[in-house]
Amino acid sequence: MSDAEAELFARWSAGDERAGREFVGKHLPAVSRFFASKVGHVHEADDLTARTFELLLSKRAEFRRDSSPRTFLFGIAHHVLLGWVRDRQRADARIDLGSVSAAALGPSPSSVLHARRQERLLLEALRAVPLEAQLVLELTYFEEMSRAEVAEITGLPAGTVASRLRRARELLELELVRLAGSAAVATATSTDLEAWARALRASLVPDGDGL
């Protein structure tokens, strides 16, 4: 955890509104990106992003100092996403992110229509795998989070994240082959996944000055 980030969040929690604006501005692009890759309509993604920060504001006192403000924030975003999935499925409280994909819940976001082919391909493949796999992949490759951070955000056991990530990559590669119609294109994308993930995340929502 960054000492500067922890101090910033602590100042906000103590009532420093300027620190709050700085914290939100720093993390707004990442949270927007979190929803933009899963929700097809911009206004829905914006609403979910706003809801996440509203909940963060009301839950600041629940923050545990052994965590980091960023993982706390993304844990709230994960909770908000679960609510969105529940509403889309009109189901009960038991949502299984391992059996539903973003592609099954709605159209692809329009923000990457003019992106390069491999960026569009990667997004479609990410949206085609189960949401649980998409989350693990994006938190790892978009947001460069550790396995411990991914575990905290998703509620998965820490020892399970590594195996889930391996399986998620396997599923992603299968979708890349299916969508590309070319093993060579799929292999090129999956081999340099980190680079294509950086390009795609910029297409979804550009980073702010603080990220």
Side-chain angles (χ1 to χ4, degrees):
M1 169 172 48
S2 162
D3 290 341
E5 181 184 70
E7 180 185 350
L8 185 67
F9 192 78
R11 283 170 30 216
W12 183 24
S13 298
D16 185 338
E17 294 304 319
R18 182 176 178 181
R21 289 192 295 272
E22 184 178 344
F23 183 88
V24 172
K26 180 178 181 181
H27 294 286
L28 180 61
V31 175
S32 297
R33 202 163 42 234
F34 178 83
F35 292 113
S37 64
K38 303 167 190 70
V39 179
H41 300 291
V42 173
H43 69 88
E44 276 190 296
D46 289 346
D47 288 347
L48 294 174
T49 300
R51 175 61 177 157
T52 297
F53 282 102
E54 288 170 2
L55 284 171
L56 177 66
L57 180 62
S58 67
K59 292 177 177 291
R60 287 174 301 175
E62 299 176 19
F63 172 63
R64 303 192 314 273
R65 302 293 174 178
D66 58 345
S67 178
S68 75
R70 185 174 73 142
T71 54
F72 184 63
L73 170 62
F74 270 89
I76 293 172
H78 182 258
H79 173 77
V80 171
L81 178 67
L82 287 174
W84 177 79
V85 173
R86 186 177 301 118
D87 290 344
R88 298 287 291 186
Q89 291 193 316
R90 295 182 175 84
D92 61 26
R94 297 183 299 278
I95 296 297
D96 180 11
L97 297 186
S99 63
V100 63
S101 69
L105 294 173
S108 296
S110 59
S111 56
V112 293
L113 287 178
H114 303 294
R116 287 179 291 181
R117 181 190 178 194
Q118 280 174 294
E119 292 167 26
R120 296 197 307 271
L121 176 64
L122 178 55
L123 177 62
E124 291 304 313
L126 282 167
R127 288 175 50 80
V129 302
L131 267 168
E132 183 179 81
Q134 184 182 358
L135 283 164
V136 171
L137 286 164
E138 290 183 359
L139 291 173
T140 300
Y141 293 108
F142 280 16
E143 308 308 333
E144 300 179 343
M145 290 188 174
S146 69
R147 291 171 185 172
E149 289 174 315
V150 174
E152 182 178 345
I153 290 163
T154 61
L156 291 170
T160 302
V161 172
S163 61
R164 292 292 176 89
L165 181 59
R166 285 194 299 272
R167 179 56 180 160
R169 282 202 63 147
E170 291 171 359
L171 292 173
L172 182 68
E173 288 170 8
L174 289 173
E175 289 298 334
L176 285 169
V177 171
R178 181 181 69 83
L179 292 167
S182 164
V185 173
T187 300
T189 305
S190 61
T191 298
D192 199 7
L193 184 56
E194 289 87 350
W196 286 113
R198 286 194 297 270
L200 175 56
R201 78 177 234 165
S203 295
L204 286 165
V205 178
D207 285 330
D209 293 337
L211 292 177

